[in-house]
């Protein structure tokens, strides 16, 4: 616009108010312009007040730290899936990491929760029983399900994250055979033939005792 | 929800429940109410993970659900409840001061687990207390029950909403989610239980009469086969009641400080006669703090505690204190002046505070830039010309409190982040020291010699020990600071809430 360039020279530096009222006298040096963001740790002008010490302060502090540690150990702390390591190691089979089949470690009261939140247990356990306890007659399952499960067993590695579609398909197929969520630790182990709790990787000093009498005796 | 609050919620959730719960929780806080599949889709998490996370969040009263039409269940996060997690140590400590160790553990268990049945709490607490007692002694369930009842009577614990017993059998399919109800009179009703038993120690072999095979994990202890007498009746900690207590404490201690000042100017007598008490109360009523007001003269007059004014005074005191610590005592003087006189012109500030003009201006602008003080324009002419307008400095307590609260949230988030950073930096060293401690402990248990223990201890070199010491000191400082800032947060939140209620 024509007036813009022309207006620059006229009345430059005129303000709408009296500058002296603000406190900047004529000829005063103005503070330097700010060219960069303020420093991350500006120097403190005054020392901060000391933190409360004494019995109460110490106790609450200790309590806080204990709580933090305790909550990490509770089953409510959900750890993300361990990323698959580059090479599959033999010891992977023997390390328990997290609950099987996406089930949760604790038992909420399902009567209080929406039904959709309940995670269906995989039907893998049916197959497993045939391996561990050969005395029992092999359960008859539909052929389609067996093949699907066998394929999935072969693919399955450490943790969970089964695809959503698979779960849904399985759920639909198993609608008639809805089971309660059983969590029998002995049988839900990884794809090994051994009871996980028998595995002692030497960290415990003194070791466990093999008291488990549930196992079938040959 | 401001960004600062969301950030803080994220840190708290992550520290207490892990990344997955954090992701879901923060997403819900940001977006509001959403159904399951949308959550999974928007966060890119698998359906199972979302389900797990929601179970945890609901269990801990951080998320609620609602059934909408067509059977869709939507989940909603309670941001303020997440922020209260900062205060868990304070709740537990309060329970300890009021109801000793038993009360402390009851509240701790309820907070750690979100909600529990009374029988479960009693059993767990009895077991924990027994562990700390001398060999051979056990804690009786009855004693724990008594403390529980007292906590319920004083409303520190309350019942959770429950599934109403439906007598009519719904011919259709069951609803996708139960609708939980609770009414006022049931909230503190303790079920009639006769819990008989004593706490059990975990390790001692003589108590292990059940002969559980050691291989089984503790969470499958056979007890869950017994019928639970108060099945379905869950309890949670009543945080509002604790807040009430904190507020009362704050006011009492403020008054106590005031009383000290008054006390010194009066004759001290240990037996306070009625007349003297009357004098005190009058003094308090006249006191500019306006904590106590006199309402009516019937029966010698009723004294009421003006809660809102009390909170306002506490908030103002906090603001003054912050100004003093940040900007110095002269600034604080100016601040108090403006507070007292409500509106002041630039010149008046210089005159009343007796501070040279240049310095006064400098301080005022500093406080202005940080929003402790604001400018009020009063135009003399309708065209609002700046040269013909009064500019008055004033303190708007509500907005200053809000600003300070926001800063507090940021502060705590920074403190937590720094603490996590420090811990992560020294992760290797921490793990090493933990391993060494574990080895020493197990060796001590099997009776090792002094020399061997010495050897193991030397695995950590002196500079490493130094590093660990520094780390511990820093982490303690950061933790203590968090606790301190939370106290300020509580004060400011209470004041703001009280003010908003009156509007």
């Amino acid at each position: 616009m024509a007036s813009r360039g022309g207006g620059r020279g006229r009345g430059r530096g005129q303000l709408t108010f009296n500058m002296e009222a603000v406190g900047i006298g004529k000829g005063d040096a103005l503070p330097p312009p700010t060219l960069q963001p303020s420093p991350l740790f500006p120097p403190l002008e005054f020392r901060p007040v000391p933190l409360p010490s004494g019995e109460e302060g110490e106790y609450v502090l200790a309590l806080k730290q204990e709580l933090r540690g305790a909550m990490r150990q509770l089953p409510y702390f959900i750890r993300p899936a361990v990323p698959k390591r580059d090479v599959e190691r033999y010891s992977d089979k023997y390390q328990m990491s997290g609950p099987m089949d996406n089930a949760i470690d604790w038992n909420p009261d399902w009567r209080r929760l929406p039904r959709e939140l309940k995670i269906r247990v995989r039907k893998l356990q049916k197959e497993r029983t045939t391996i561990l306890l050969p005395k029992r007659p092999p359960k008859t399952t539909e052929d389609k399900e067996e093949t699907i499960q066998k394929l999935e067993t072969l693919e399955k590695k450490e943790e969970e994250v089964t695809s959503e579609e698979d779960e849904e398909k399985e759920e639909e197929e198993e609608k008639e055979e809805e089971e309660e969520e059983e969590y029998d630790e002995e049988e839900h182990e990884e794809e090994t033939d051994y009871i996980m709790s028998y595995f002692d990787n030497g960290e415990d000093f003194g070791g466990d005792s093999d008291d488990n009498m549930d196992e079938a005796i040959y | 929800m401001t960004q600062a609050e969301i950030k803080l919620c994220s840190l708290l959730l992550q520290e207490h429940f892990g990344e997955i719960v954090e992701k879901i929780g923060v997403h819900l806080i940001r977006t509001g109410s959403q159904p399951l599949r949308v959550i999974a889709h928007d966060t890119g998490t698998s359906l199972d993970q979302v389900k797990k996370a929601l179970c945890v969040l609901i269990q801990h009263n951080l998320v609620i659900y609602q059934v909408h039409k067509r059977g869709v269940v939507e989940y909603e996060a309670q941001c303020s409840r997440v922020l209260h997690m900062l205060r868990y140590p304070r709740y537990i400590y309060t329970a300890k001061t009021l109801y000793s160790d038993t009360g402390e553990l009851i509240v701790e268990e309820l907070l750690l687990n979100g909600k529990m049945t009374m029988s479960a709490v009693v059993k767990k607490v009895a077991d924990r207390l027994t562990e700390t007692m001398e060999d051979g002694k056990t804690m009786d369930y009855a004693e724990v029950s008594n403390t529980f009842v007292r906590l319920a009577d004083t409303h520190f614990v309350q019942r959770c909403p429950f599934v109403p017993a439906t007598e009519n059998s719904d011919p259709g399919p069951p609803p996708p989610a139960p609708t939980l109800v609770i009414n006022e009179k049931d909230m503190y009703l303790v079920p009639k239980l006769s819990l008989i038993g004593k706490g059990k120690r975990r390790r001692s072999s003589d108590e292990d009469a059940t002969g559980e095979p050691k291989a089984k994990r503790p969470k499958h202890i056979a007890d869950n086969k017994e019928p639970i007498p108060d099945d379905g009746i869950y309890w949670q900690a009543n945080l509002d009641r604790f807040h009430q207590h904190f507020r009362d404490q704050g006011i009492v201690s403020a008054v106590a400080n005031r009383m000290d000042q008054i006390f010194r100017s009066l004759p001290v007598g240990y037996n306070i006669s009625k007349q003297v008490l009357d004098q005190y109360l009058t003094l308090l009523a006249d006191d500019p703090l306006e904590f106590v007001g006199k309402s009516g003269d019937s029966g010698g007059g009723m004294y009421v505690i003006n809660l809102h004014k009390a909170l306002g005074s506490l908030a103002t005191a906090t603001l003054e204190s912050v100004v003093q610590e940040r900007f110095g005592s002269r600034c604080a003087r100016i601040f108090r002046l403006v507070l007292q006189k409500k509106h002041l012109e630039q010149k008046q500030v210089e005159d009343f505070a007796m501070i040279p003009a240049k310095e006064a201006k400098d301080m005022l602008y500093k406080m202005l830039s940080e929003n402790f003080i604001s400018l009020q324009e009063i135009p003399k002419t309708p065209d609002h010309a700046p040269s013909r307008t009064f500019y008055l400095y004033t303190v708007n307590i509500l907005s200053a409190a809000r600003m300070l609260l926001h800063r507090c949230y940021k502060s705590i988030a920074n403190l937590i982040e720094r603490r996590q950073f420090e811990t992560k930096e020294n992760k290797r060293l921490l793990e090493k020291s933990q391993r060494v401690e574990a080895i020493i402990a197990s060796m001590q248990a099997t009776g090792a010699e002094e020399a061997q223990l010495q050897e193991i201890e030397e695995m950590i070199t002196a500079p490493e020990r130094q590093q660990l010491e520094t780390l511990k000191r820093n982490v303690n400082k950061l933790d203590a600071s968090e606790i301190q800032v939370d106290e300020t947060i509580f004060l400011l939140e209470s004041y703001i809430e009280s003010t908003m209620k009156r509007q």
Side-chain angles (χ1 to χ4, degrees):
Chain A
M1 305 242 310
S3 58
R4 242 200 302 163
R8 243 189 295 145
R10 257 187 291 137
R12 197 192 332 174
Q14 269 182 11
L15 302 163
T16 54
F17 58 96
N18 184 4
M19 222 170 41
E20 273 161 1
V22 178
I24 308 168
K26 264 203 165 136
D28 256 356
L30 287 171
T34 329
L35 293 170
Q36 54 195 345
S38 44
L40 256 188
F41 295 110
L44 275 182
E45 283 175 30
F46 303 94
R47 281 198 71 88
V49 182
L51 291 166
S53 56
E55 220 182 286
E56 182 180 335
E58 304 272 335
Y59 190 84
V60 180
L61 181 63
L63 199 51
K64 183 171 201 287
Q65 292 175 335
E66 262 177 46
L67 267 180
R68 212 171 32 230
M71 292 205 88
R72 293 187 85 96
Q73 304 299 325
L74 286 176
Y76 308 115
F77 194 97
I78 303 180
R79 284 163 218 279
V82 177
K84 303 214 201 306
R85 299 227 282 239
D86 45 359
V87 175
E88 190 191 325
R89 285 157 218 261
Y90 183 73
S91 63
D92 282 352
K93 274 208 273 183
Y94 293 91
Q95 279 172 357
M96 272 302 284
S97 34
M100 291 292 302
D101 306 334
N102 290 326
I104 38 188
D105 269 337
W106 50 290
N107 292 321
D109 189 344
W110 293 111
R111 296 168 294 181
R112 297 175 59 95
L113 293 170
R115 280 182 310 157
E116 61 182 9
L117 287 186
K118 196 161 179 179
I119 299 171
R120 299 264 177 264
V121 173
R122 296 173 56 88
K123 292 293 283 295
L124 221 46
Q125 46 174 304
K126 275 201 178 164
E127 242 215 332
R128 192 62 56 68
T129 58
T130 60
I131 299 174
L132 285 177
L133 300 166
K135 272 212 229 165
R136 288 207 203 141
K139 294 218 172 107
T140 48
T141 53
E142 299 169 10
D143 278 345
K144 205 168 34 157
E145 279 187 343
E146 247 196 68
T147 9
I148 293 178
Q149 277 162 23
K150 279 215 176 101
L151 285 172
E152 289 186 11
T153 320
L154 288 170
E155 287 176 351
K156 205 160 170 270
K157 285 297 178 185
E158 270 289 352
E159 281 291 329
E160 51 266 326
V161 199
T162 57
S163 68
E164 191 182 331
E165 292 84 22
D166 276 346
E167 259 242 353
E168 281 187 295
K169 235 187 287 176
E170 267 195 48
E171 278 187 353
E172 281 174 304
E173 288 170 352
E174 299 166 359
K175 262 266 161 62
E176 320 90 33
E177 322 173 44
E178 260 182 26
E179 293 183 359
E180 274 301 306
E181 198 178 286
E182 279 176 44
Y183 187 74
D184 189 358
E185 180 185 326
E186 307 303 333
E187 301 179 354
H188 279 208
E189 304 299 338
E190 267 298 333
E191 317 142 19
T192 65
D193 299 329
Y194 300 92
I195 305 294
M196 195 53 70
S197 46
Y198 282 173
F199 173 62
D200 176 18
N201 58 4
E203 277 182 4
D204 287 2
F205 196 79
D208 295 274
S209 61
D210 297 35
D211 264 349
N212 196 335
M213 303 314 283
D214 276 355
E215 184 57 6
I217 304 164
Y218 301 91
Chain B
M1 288 295 114
T2 63
Q3 280 304 321
E5 286 169 282
I6 298 181
K7 170 83 180 151
L8 186 50
C9 285
S10 151
L11 285 169
L12 288 170
L13 284 174
Q14 185 219 351
E15 245 192 4
H16 290 114
F17 299 116
E19 286 169 15
I20 298 178
V21 176
E22 181 257 334
K23 194 158 37 154
I24 308 297
V26 168
H27 177 77
L28 278 176
I29 292 176
R30 281 212 167 96
T31 58
S33 196
Q34 278 197 339
L36 180 61
R37 294 195 179 268
V38 179
I39 300 175
H41 177 265
D42 283 354
T43 56
T45 345
S46 79
L47 210 56
D48 276 345
Q49 303 279 52
V50 178
K51 287 181 192 176
K52 275 203 253 188
L54 284 174
C55 283
V56 171
L57 288 166
I58 295 177
Q59 173 75 9
H60 282 84
N61 309 308
L62 302 172
V63 158
I64 55 169
Y65 61 82
Q66 260 189 323
V67 186
H68 288 254
K69 48 187 192 294
R70 282 187 273 135
V72 175
V73 181
E74 287 198 349
Y75 302 91
E76 193 177 328
Q78 322 248 279
C79 179
S80 53
R81 182 64 181 77
V82 179
L83 289 175
H84 289 156
M85 288 177 74
L86 270 173
R87 235 163 263 156
Y88 279 6
R90 205 171 163 195
Y91 300 136
I92 299 175
Y93 182 71
T94 305
K96 186 189 175 81
T97 55
L98 294 174
Y99 296 103
S100 86
D101 288 345
T102 319
E104 177 193 2
L105 288 184
I106 291 178
V107 172
E108 188 178 323
E109 283 298 319
L110 282 176
L111 286 174
L112 282 178
N113 289 292
K115 27 172 110 69
M116 288 170 85
T117 60
M118 178 172 166
S119 40
V121 174
V122 166
K123 183 171 182 312
K124 191 83 199 293
V125 171
D127 286 347
R128 280 181 73 175
L129 284 169
T130 307
E131 293 266 337
T132 63
M133 290 165 97
E134 302 164 4
D135 276 332
K137 286 221 176 116
T138 54
M139 174 60 101
D140 204 56
Y141 281 9
E143 202 178 316
V144 182
S145 288
N146 281 340
T147 313
F148 192 97
V149 171
R150 283 164 70 200
L151 278 166
D153 283 341
T154 45
H155 295 199
F156 279 106
V157 302
Q158 69 186 43
R159 273 172 64 162
C160 306
F162 52 89
V163 185
T166 45
E167 271 130 27
N168 60 326
S169 45
D170 211 337
T179 319
L180 304 174
V181 299
I182 184 98
N183 56 28
E184 276 291 327
K185 60 179 174 60
D186 285 341
M187 242 198 263
Y188 307 103
L189 215 54
V190 180
K192 299 266 179 296
L193 300 174
S194 54
L195 292 167
I196 303 182
K198 297 188 191 298
K200 291 195 181 49
R201 282 174 206 276
R202 232 182 333 147
R203 292 159 298 149
S204 57
S205 45
D206 51 350
E207 300 271 23
D208 238 318
T210 54
E212 304 159 22
K214 283 243 205 103
K216 272 220 171 102
R217 293 251 182 95
K219 62 182 182 268
H220 292 289
I221 288 181
D223 295 6
N224 59 11
K225 298 286 193 307
E226 295 166 9
I228 308 174
D230 59 346
D231 192 29
I233 304 180
Y234 291 94
W235 294 80
Q236 62 187 357
N238 182 1
L239 300 190
D240 284 334
R241 177 67 181 88
F242 280 99
H243 293 164
Q244 242 179 40
H245 182 83
F246 296 156
R247 204 184 50 212
D248 297 343
Q249 257 186 337
I251 295 177
V252 165
S253 62
V255 172
N257 282 336
R258 204 64 177 188
M259 288 297 273
D260 270 347
Q261 294 174 7
I262 299 172
F263 224 48
R264 285 187 214 115
S265 56
L266 286 175
V268 177
Y270 283 106
N271 299 322
I272 301 186
S273 66
K274 190 167 180 305
Q275 204 194 16
V276 184
L277 184 64
D278 208 18
Q279 283 181 356
Y280 281 159
L281 284 169
T282 320
L283 271 167
L284 272 173
D286 290 336
D287 190 287
L289 275 185
E290 292 186 20
F291 277 21
V292 179
K294 191 162 181 183
S295 95
D297 275 317
S298 55
M302 244 213 331
Y303 289 95
V304 293
I305 300 206
N306 191 333
L307 215 55
H308 173 70
K309 288 246 171 72
L311 288 171
S313 297
L314 286 173
T316 314
T318 310
L319 285 166
E320 279 176 26
S321 164
V322 172
V323 170
Q324 172 136 356
E325 296 306 322
R326 280 229 158 231
F327 303 119
S329 46
R330 303 177 92 185
C331 244
R333 199 157 87 216
I334 296 182
F335 185 78
R336 275 194 285 270
L337 193 65
V338 180
L339 206 56
Q340 194 185 6
K341 305 275 189 191
K342 303 274 193 282
H343 295 277
L344 281 180
E345 259 188 332
Q346 175 101 42
K347 186 115 190 18
Q348 289 174 303
V349 171
E350 296 162 19
D351 290 340
F352 282 128
M354 294 179 285
I355 291 179
K358 207 161 168 85
E359 281 179 42
K361 278 173 189 144
D362 194 36
M363 290 179 186
L364 279 168
Y365 293 148
K366 223 188 314 191
M367 285 193 281
L368 191 64
S369 69
E370 305 226 10
N371 290 318
F372 283 98
I373 284 188
S374 42
L375 266 181
Q376 172 91 28
E377 292 177 10
I378 302 191
K380 289 192 227 181
T381 56
D383 65 353
H384 288 251
S387 53
R388 290 188 292 273
T389 313
F390 283 117
Y391 288 98
L392 298 175
Y393 290 101
T394 180
V395 177
N396 183 337
I397 303 185
L398 183 60
S399 65
R402 279 214 171 99
M403 178 277 299
L404 191 57
L405 183 61
H406 188 252
R407 270 167 90 145
C408 283
Y409 288 137
K410 274 203 200 157
S411 300
I412 288 206
N414 286 349
L415 285 167
I416 297 179
E417 286 231 45
R418 181 73 198 192
R419 178 170 43 79
Q420 289 180 345
F421 171 77
E422 294 273 331
T423 315
K424 209 177 341 176
E425 282 275 291
N426 295 289
K427 194 165 125 161
R428 191 197 66 87
L429 187 55
L430 269 173
E431 282 174 359
K432 178 175 175 186
S433 104
Q434 276 168 3
R435 267 205 310 272
V436 167
E437 269 175 38
I439 296 177
I440 291 186
S442 64
M443 283 179 75
Q444 272 176 342
T446 56
E449 294 167 5
E450 190 58 44
Q452 286 176 310
L453 290 175
Q454 197 88 16
E455 223 180 276
I456 303 290
E457 274 186 23
E458 274 165 23
M459 277 172 61
I460 303 187
T461 66
E464 282 180 336
R465 241 175 247 289
Q466 187 73 14
Q467 213 178 331
L468 278 171
E469 270 301 311
T470 314
L471 173 67
K472 186 169 166 148
R473 209 178 39 236
N474 288 345
V475 167
N476 282 353
K477 237 191 244 187
L478 291 166
D479 266 330
S481 308
E482 273 179 56
I483 297 174
Q484 192 68 9
V485 179
D486 179 57
E487 283 187 26
T488 311
I489 285 184
F490 175 72
L491 244 161
L492 294 169
E493 274 179 351
S494 305
Y495 165 69
I496 293 174
E497 194 185 315
S498 161
T499 314
M500 299 312 288
K501 265 199 230 166
R502 292 171 133 240
Q503 289 182 358

